[in-house]
Amino acid sequence: MIGGAFSTHGVHVLWPKRLAKLLAEMSAGDVDVAAVHESLASRFKPA
């Protein structure tokens, strides 16, 4: 995944920092930050 983000079958594949930037760019009404955090935290082990 050198070189950036891409999409496949409607799924965005990107680095965590890019995801954070993408979510920050979306308006608050479009993203439930707590729900996204809970979903990610339940699927990925902490670093």
Side-chain angles (χ1 to χ4, degrees), residues 4-46:
F6 61 94
S7 294
T8 181
H9 300 284
V11 176
H12 296 289
V13 179
L14 45 103
W15 292 100
K17 286 184 180 181
R18 177 65 180 123
L19 174 60
K21 182 179 177 183
L22 181 69
L23 292 174
E25 291 171 352
M26 300 173 95
S27 67
D30 293 339
V31 177
D32 181 349
V33 175
V36 171
H37 176 268
E38 184 177 324
S39 178
L40 292 173
S42 71
R43 289 172 173 82
F44 297 100
K45 295 178 183 179

